[in-house]
């Protein structure tokens, strides 16, 4: 437990000092100032692009399910959108799906993003990235601040393939090797469930051997409906497994940077609470950038605050109907952390409210039907 607490209180493990991290620190400062002043930024600095609803897998933990959207944005529409957000002040684009590389124009779009001078992160299962794609990407991506994020949900084939519903583990490992050998920065994303909990250390070790630079242990988001076939570990189970990771991490001279740990709301975990209260001034602030300085667009041009808020309650507009700058600058269109009212909720009396701001709005909405409620993963509300 001591190692995990130290990790949280020190806000992660010795991040590299590079351009991207400096920008991230600036964003965190802008976020704090935005919260204190209760205003949104005039320009979105980070924009997410769900570039297609198509996917070559049907993973057990995917909440998109069988969604397949008609009339997705074409290449020209995406290019015009990218040019516009660059003019607005966006510096980073992250691309998701579906599976981005289901689009035949994916490399062309990446090239255009880099031509505009923006950094990029691409979330992919990597299966459709060819050797030719890899060599092209290697020539345009900056290994210091551009990332290809590859999903890896197990350290052995039977685990990863069970979650991904297809025998793809060995192919994924070979794709990661191909990317790292071509000097492309790879970040691995692992969605932590009871199925792979006992493999977190082995996943870390595998990433270390493959030359992966960063690793996310992403908590399962279990509030989107019946499509979930996996279960969420308890806090105690998370702590035990992650401390094994940290112990191994500390034994290495050039470790993989752990960008995210698996506990969403650490402040009220019973094992941490006393130490958290004692060191409250040192604790990091949870940053919810949704609608404050970031937004996402789906494959048909609908705009929302974040990944988990793609529903009618949070719809901000459609770029085919309204200019994105007009959508962004109209505060009335946006639901953000500034919109929450903690009166008459458990959060209102919580000593950690200034740190977590009630946790995830989307989780509160999906579980309780109300963004003003607490994140259901917080022990205080249960």
């Amino acid at each position: 437990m001591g190692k995990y607490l130290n990790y949280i209180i020190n806000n992660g493990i010795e991040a590299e000092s590079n351009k991207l991290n400096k920008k991230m620190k600036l964003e965190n400062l802008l976020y704090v100032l935005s919260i204190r002043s209760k205003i949104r930024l005039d320009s979105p600095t980070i924009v997410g692009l769900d570039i297609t609803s198509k996917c070559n897998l049907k993973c057990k933990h995917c909440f998109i399910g069988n969604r397949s959207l008609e009339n997705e944005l074409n290449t020209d529409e995406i290019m015009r959108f990218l040019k516009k957000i660059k003019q607005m002040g966006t510096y980073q684009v992250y691309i998701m799906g579906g599976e981005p590389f289901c689009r035949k124009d994916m490399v062309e779009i990446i090239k255009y993003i880099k031509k505009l001078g923006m950094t990029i992160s691409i979330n992919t299962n990597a299966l459709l990235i060819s050797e030719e794609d890899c060599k092209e990407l290697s020539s345009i991506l900056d290994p210091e601040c551009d990332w290809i994020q590859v999903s890896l949900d197990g350290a052995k084939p039977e685990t990863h393939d069970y979650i991904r519903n297809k025998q793809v583990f060995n192919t994924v490992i070979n794709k990661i090797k191909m990317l790292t050998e071509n000097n492309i920065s790879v970040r691995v994303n692992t969605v932590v469930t009871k199925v792979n909990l006992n493999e977190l250390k082995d996943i870390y070790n595998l990433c270390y051997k493959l030359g992966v630079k960063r690793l996310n242990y992403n908590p399962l988001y279990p509030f989107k409906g019946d499509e979930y076939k996996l279960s969420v570990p308890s806090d105690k189970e998370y702590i035990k497994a992650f401390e094994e990771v940290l112990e191994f991490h500390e034994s290495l001279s050039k470790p993989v940077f752990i960008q995210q740990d698996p506990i969403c709301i650490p402040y009220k975990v019973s094992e941490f609470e006393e130490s958290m209260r004692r060191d409250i001034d040192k604790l990091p602030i949870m940053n919810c950038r949704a609608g404050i300085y970031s937004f996402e667009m789906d494959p048909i041009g609908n705009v929302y605050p974040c990944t988990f808020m793609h529903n009618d309650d949070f719809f901000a507009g459609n770029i085919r109907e309204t200019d994105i700058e007009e959508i962004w600058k109209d505060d009335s269109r946006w639901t953000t952390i500034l919109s929450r009212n903690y009166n008459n909720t458990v959060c209102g009396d919580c000593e950690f409210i200034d740190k977590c701001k009630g946790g995830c709005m989307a989780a509160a909405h999906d579980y309780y039907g109300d963004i003003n409620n607490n994140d259901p993963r917080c022990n205080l509300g249960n």
Side-chain angles (χ1 to χ4, degrees), residues 124-138:
T124 175
N125 57 43
L127 298 173
L128 300 178
I129 303 176
S130 67
E131 287 188 24
E132 182 181 352
D133 292 338
C134 186
K135 293 193 180 302
E136 280 201 77
L137 294 174
S138 178

PDB file of all heavy atoms in Angstrom, residues 124-138:
ATOM      1  N   THR A 124      -5.355   2.386 -31.283  1.00  0.00           N
ATOM      2  CA  THR A 124      -5.548   1.339 -32.282  1.00  0.00           C
ATOM      3  C   THR A 124      -5.305  -0.039 -31.687  1.00  0.00           C
ATOM      4  O   THR A 124      -4.609  -0.180 -30.680  1.00  0.00           O
ATOM      5  CB  THR A 124      -4.582   1.575 -33.470  1.00  0.00           C
ATOM      6  OG1 THR A 124      -4.688   0.497 -34.400  1.00  0.00           O
ATOM      7  CG2 THR A 124      -3.133   1.670 -33.003  1.00  0.00           C
ATOM      8  N   ASN A 125      -5.881  -1.065 -32.330  1.00  0.00           N
ATOM      9  CA  ASN A 125      -5.513  -2.428 -31.953  1.00  0.00           C
ATOM     10  C   ASN A 125      -4.302  -2.897 -32.744  1.00  0.00           C
ATOM     11  O   ASN A 125      -3.801  -4.001 -32.536  1.00  0.00           O
ATOM     12  CB  ASN A 125      -6.693  -3.391 -32.121  1.00  0.00           C
ATOM     13  CG  ASN A 125      -7.268  -3.420 -33.532  1.00  0.00           C
ATOM     14  OD1 ASN A 125      -6.540  -3.436 -34.526  1.00  0.00           O
ATOM     15  ND2 ASN A 125      -8.599  -3.441 -33.623  1.00  0.00           N
ATOM     16  N   ALA A 126      -3.839  -2.064 -33.692  1.00  0.00           N
ATOM     17  CA  ALA A 126      -2.587  -2.240 -34.461  1.00  0.00           C
ATOM     18  C   ALA A 126      -2.646  -3.326 -35.528  1.00  0.00           C
ATOM     19  O   ALA A 126      -1.705  -3.463 -36.327  1.00  0.00           O
ATOM     20  CB  ALA A 126      -1.397  -2.508 -33.538  1.00  0.00           C
ATOM     21  N   LEU A 127      -3.726  -4.071 -35.593  1.00  0.00           N
ATOM     22  CA  LEU A 127      -3.764  -5.232 -36.486  1.00  0.00           C
ATOM     23  C   LEU A 127      -3.699  -4.854 -37.963  1.00  0.00           C
ATOM     24  O   LEU A 127      -3.202  -5.630 -38.784  1.00  0.00           O
ATOM     25  CB  LEU A 127      -5.040  -6.052 -36.220  1.00  0.00           C
ATOM     26  CG  LEU A 127      -5.161  -6.650 -34.823  1.00  0.00           C
ATOM     27  CD1 LEU A 127      -6.532  -7.274 -34.635  1.00  0.00           C
ATOM     28  CD2 LEU A 127      -4.057  -7.667 -34.567  1.00  0.00           C
ATOM     29  N   LEU A 128      -4.196  -3.659 -38.309  1.00  0.00           N
ATOM     30  CA  LEU A 128      -4.288  -3.266 -39.712  1.00  0.00           C
ATOM     31  C   LEU A 128      -3.140  -2.361 -40.162  1.00  0.00           C
ATOM     32  O   LEU A 128      -3.129  -1.892 -41.299  1.00  0.00           O
ATOM     33  CB  LEU A 128      -5.629  -2.566 -39.968  1.00  0.00           C
ATOM     34  CG  LEU A 128      -6.878  -3.400 -39.668  1.00  0.00           C
ATOM     35  CD1 LEU A 128      -8.141  -2.575 -39.914  1.00  0.00           C
ATOM     36  CD2 LEU A 128      -6.902  -4.673 -40.499  1.00  0.00           C
ATOM     37  N   ILE A 129      -2.174  -2.112 -39.270  1.00  0.00           N
ATOM     38  CA  ILE A 129      -1.031  -1.275 -39.646  1.00  0.00           C
ATOM     39  C   ILE A 129      -0.031  -2.129 -40.422  1.00  0.00           C
ATOM     40  O   ILE A 129       0.543  -3.079 -39.900  1.00  0.00           O
ATOM     41  CB  ILE A 129      -0.348  -0.667 -38.409  1.00  0.00           C
ATOM     42  CG1 ILE A 129      -1.348   0.149 -37.589  1.00  0.00           C
ATOM     43  CG2 ILE A 129       0.827   0.217 -38.838  1.00  0.00           C
ATOM     44  CD1 ILE A 129      -0.768   0.709 -36.300  1.00  0.00           C
ATOM     45  N   SER A 130       0.157  -1.785 -41.684  1.00  0.00           N
ATOM     46  CA  SER A 130       1.064  -2.556 -42.534  1.00  0.00           C
ATOM     47  C   SER A 130       2.506  -2.072 -42.359  1.00  0.00           C
ATOM     48  O   SER A 130       2.757  -1.013 -41.768  1.00  0.00           O
ATOM     49  CB  SER A 130       0.656  -2.409 -44.003  1.00  0.00           C
ATOM     50  OG  SER A 130       0.869  -1.066 -44.431  1.00  0.00           O
ATOM     51  N   GLU A 131       3.456  -2.833 -42.881  1.00  0.00           N
ATOM     52  CA  GLU A 131       4.865  -2.413 -42.853  1.00  0.00           C
ATOM     53  C   GLU A 131       5.046  -1.113 -43.626  1.00  0.00           C
ATOM     54  O   GLU A 131       5.814  -0.237 -43.222  1.00  0.00           O
ATOM     55  CB  GLU A 131       5.752  -3.508 -43.439  1.00  0.00           C
ATOM     56  CG  GLU A 131       5.905  -4.722 -42.533  1.00  0.00           C
ATOM     57  CD  GLU A 131       6.946  -5.693 -43.063  1.00  0.00           C
ATOM     58  OE1 GLU A 131       7.834  -5.256 -43.822  1.00  0.00           O
ATOM     59  OE2 GLU A 131       6.871  -6.884 -42.712  1.00  0.00           O
ATOM     60  N   GLU A 132       4.319  -0.984 -44.734  1.00  0.00           N
ATOM     61  CA  GLU A 132       4.393   0.246 -45.529  1.00  0.00           C
ATOM     62  C   GLU A 132       3.867   1.436 -44.727  1.00  0.00           C
ATOM     63  O   GLU A 132       4.479   2.516 -44.710  1.00  0.00           O
ATOM     64  CB  GLU A 132       3.587   0.086 -46.820  1.00  0.00           C
ATOM     65  CG  GLU A 132       3.659   1.299 -47.736  1.00  0.00           C
ATOM     66  CD  GLU A 132       2.834   1.131 -48.999  1.00  0.00           C
ATOM     67  OE1 GLU A 132       2.330   0.008 -49.238  1.00  0.00           O
ATOM     68  OE2 GLU A 132       2.677   2.116 -49.741  1.00  0.00           O
ATOM     69  N   ASP A 133       2.715   1.237 -44.038  1.00  0.00           N
ATOM     70  CA  ASP A 133       2.169   2.287 -43.173  1.00  0.00           C
ATOM     71  C   ASP A 133       3.192   2.681 -42.116  1.00  0.00           C
ATOM     72  O   ASP A 133       3.417   3.863 -41.844  1.00  0.00           O
ATOM     73  CB  ASP A 133       0.893   1.804 -42.467  1.00  0.00           C
ATOM     74  CG  ASP A 133      -0.284   1.600 -43.404  1.00  0.00           C
ATOM     75  OD1 ASP A 133      -0.287   2.200 -44.495  1.00  0.00           O
ATOM     76  OD2 ASP A 133      -1.190   0.833 -43.042  1.00  0.00           O
ATOM     77  N   CYS A 134       3.789   1.677 -41.516  1.00  0.00           N
ATOM     78  CA  CYS A 134       4.738   1.903 -40.430  1.00  0.00           C
ATOM     79  C   CYS A 134       5.918   2.753 -40.892  1.00  0.00           C
ATOM     80  O   CYS A 134       6.324   3.687 -40.197  1.00  0.00           O
ATOM     81  CB  CYS A 134       5.221   0.551 -39.904  1.00  0.00           C
ATOM     82  SG  CYS A 134       6.266   0.676 -38.445  1.00  0.00           S
ATOM     83  N   LYS A 135       6.454   2.458 -42.037  1.00  0.00           N
ATOM     84  CA  LYS A 135       7.601   3.223 -42.546  1.00  0.00           C
ATOM     85  C   LYS A 135       7.196   4.667 -42.866  1.00  0.00           C
ATOM     86  O   LYS A 135       7.967   5.602 -42.613  1.00  0.00           O
ATOM     87  CB  LYS A 135       8.192   2.525 -43.768  1.00  0.00           C
ATOM     88  CG  LYS A 135       8.836   1.189 -43.423  1.00  0.00           C
ATOM     89  CD  LYS A 135       9.693   0.668 -44.556  1.00  0.00           C
ATOM     90  CE  LYS A 135      10.320  -0.676 -44.184  1.00  0.00           C
ATOM     91  NZ  LYS A 135      11.151  -0.586 -42.962  1.00  0.00           N
ATOM     92  N   GLU A 136       5.994   4.842 -43.411  1.00  0.00           N
ATOM     93  CA  GLU A 136       5.509   6.199 -43.682  1.00  0.00           C
ATOM     94  C   GLU A 136       5.328   6.978 -42.383  1.00  0.00           C
ATOM     95  O   GLU A 136       5.714   8.143 -42.273  1.00  0.00           O
ATOM     96  CB  GLU A 136       4.195   6.142 -44.458  1.00  0.00           C
ATOM     97  CG  GLU A 136       4.344   5.895 -45.942  1.00  0.00           C
ATOM     98  CD  GLU A 136       3.121   6.336 -46.714  1.00  0.00           C
ATOM     99  OE1 GLU A 136       2.953   7.549 -46.934  1.00  0.00           O
ATOM    100  OE2 GLU A 136       2.323   5.449 -47.078  1.00  0.00           O
ATOM    101  N   LEU A 137       4.712   6.321 -41.388  1.00  0.00           N
ATOM    102  CA  LEU A 137       4.470   6.980 -40.108  1.00  0.00           C
ATOM    103  C   LEU A 137       5.783   7.323 -39.409  1.00  0.00           C
ATOM    104  O   LEU A 137       5.915   8.363 -38.769  1.00  0.00           O
ATOM    105  CB  LEU A 137       3.611   6.086 -39.211  1.00  0.00           C
ATOM    106  CG  LEU A 137       2.172   5.842 -39.685  1.00  0.00           C
ATOM    107  CD1 LEU A 137       1.469   4.830 -38.798  1.00  0.00           C
ATOM    108  CD2 LEU A 137       1.388   7.147 -39.721  1.00  0.00           C
ATOM    109  N   SER A 138       6.761   6.442 -39.541  1.00  0.00           N
ATOM    110  CA  SER A 138       8.060   6.681 -38.920  1.00  0.00           C
ATOM    111  C   SER A 138       8.718   7.946 -39.457  1.00  0.00           C
ATOM    112  O   SER A 138       9.438   8.636 -38.729  1.00  0.00           O
ATOM    113  CB  SER A 138       8.977   5.476 -39.167  1.00  0.00           C
ATOM    114  OG  SER A 138      10.256   5.695 -38.623  1.00  0.00           O
TER     115      SER A 138
END
